[in-house]
Amino acid sequence: DATTLDTTGTAADGALSIFGTAPVSSSVGGYGVAMTGVTTLRAGRGDISVSGIVQSTSGSAEKDAVVIGAGGRSTVSILTTTGAISITGDANGVGFAATSGASYNGVVISDAALIRSPPGSISVRGTGGGGNNNNVGQNHGILLSDDDTQIVSTTGNILLTGRTGGKTTSYGIRANGNSIAIGQARNTDTDKTVTGQPVFTGNIDLVADSMSFANSSASRLRVTGARSGVDLATGQLNIRPLRDVN
């Protein structure tokens, strides 16, 4: 079934805020906030804020702070027309001495999820947890995966800030999908063209304690980029260490 939360109005649009905490029990998994299936958040001129936290370990299952998209091409969308979008996931409450758990990721955005604010700013901040025990799975700060996952705007700036949870094979920012877009929107056709999409002119900042971008397709992860090789996106791409931000 489809789920839509819409705060758009006639004279003004309301802000939309979602906050969640993963299950407190240390014997079960779960999520702080999980948006899957056909889910849409829409706030028009209002701002959207999504925040989730993890404060305890898991027996063996996943326990991530914020999950947007899962289980196939889920078509989760977070949309504004002018409002800002903020997504924050913090699994640091788990600590760094976990002895089990499939994952303690901060923010996971996957399965063709779309996050879009044409002139508004977009901020994604993720903090992993759990530490480096062999029985702990991944604990990325921000994990982007799967085809057609997009975080896009036209004139708004985009900031991704990630801190790993301590696993040597996890990263502050990790991207492992083949057609992910950050900044310049792309169509989801076979050729991943940008025909009909507005040119992106904002700035992108990737800030993390570590980063990994693993893509095997010719239509790999693209950050800003050109529109069909004709109109160049004019925004800056800045890669910065985590110490640059609080």
Side-chain angles (χ1 to χ4, degrees):
D1 294 337
T3 300
T4 299
L5 296 179
D6 192 335
T7 63
T8 56
T10 302
D13 299 332
L16 196 162
S17 180
I18 296 176
F19 173 81
T21 302
V24 176
S25 172
S26 60
S27 63
V28 299
Y31 308 102
V33 174
M35 297 189 299
T36 62
V38 183
T39 300
T40 302
L41 303 185
R42 185 181 294 112
R45 292 158 289 182
D47 297 339
I48 294 178
S49 174
V50 178
S51 300
I53 60 175
V54 179
Q55 297 179 300
S56 60
T57 58
S58 163
S60 60
E62 299 174 348
K63 210 165 193 177
D64 302 328
V66 173
V67 173
I68 299 172
R73 295 179 64 87
S74 55
T75 62
V76 173
S77 300
I78 300 177
L79 312 170
T80 67
T81 54
T82 60
I85 296 174
S86 174
I87 300 169
T88 303
D90 188 352
N92 188 55
V94 174
F96 293 90
T99 58
S100 63
S103 64
Y104 299 106
N105 296 310
V107 176
V108 179
I109 303 173
S110 65
D111 293 279
L114 172 62
I115 299 169
R116 182 180 67 206
S117 176
S121 63
I122 299 175
S123 172
V124 181
R125 180 185 292 265
T127 303
N132 193 37
N133 187 281
N134 288 336
N135 294 320
V136 172
Q138 61 187 12
N139 49 23
H140 304 290
I142 298 172
L143 173 61
L144 309 175
S145 64
D146 305 312
D147 287 2
D148 298 325
T149 296
Q150 300 196 51
I151 303 172
V152 295
S153 182
T154 52
T155 60
N157 294 330
I158 297 175
L159 170 64
L160 272 62
T161 306
R163 182 192 299 270
T164 181
K167 193 79 174 178
T168 57
T169 53
S170 291
Y171 301 89
I173 299 176
R174 164 75 169 175
N176 62 359
N178 286 335
S179 300
I180 297 172
I182 301 176
Q184 175 65 61
R186 301 166 65 190
N187 297 318
T188 57
D189 54 16
T190 301
D191 295 327
K192 313 303 178 187
T193 64
V194 294
T195 303
Q197 299 286 355
V199 179
F200 174 70
T201 60
N203 297 325
I204 296 174
D205 284 78
L206 304 180
V207 184
D209 54 1
S210 56
M211 303 182 196
S212 173
F213 307 104
N215 307 95
S216 60
S217 168
S219 58
R220 62 192 71 83
L221 164 73
R222 294 187 183 182
V223 181
T224 68
R227 283 168 35 106
S228 301
V230 179
D231 301 319
L232 294 180
T234 58
Q236 293 182 341
L237 168 62
N238 303 304
I239 298 177
R240 300 158 49 198
L242 190 61
R243 65 174 179 268
D244 279 5
V245 298
N246 294 326

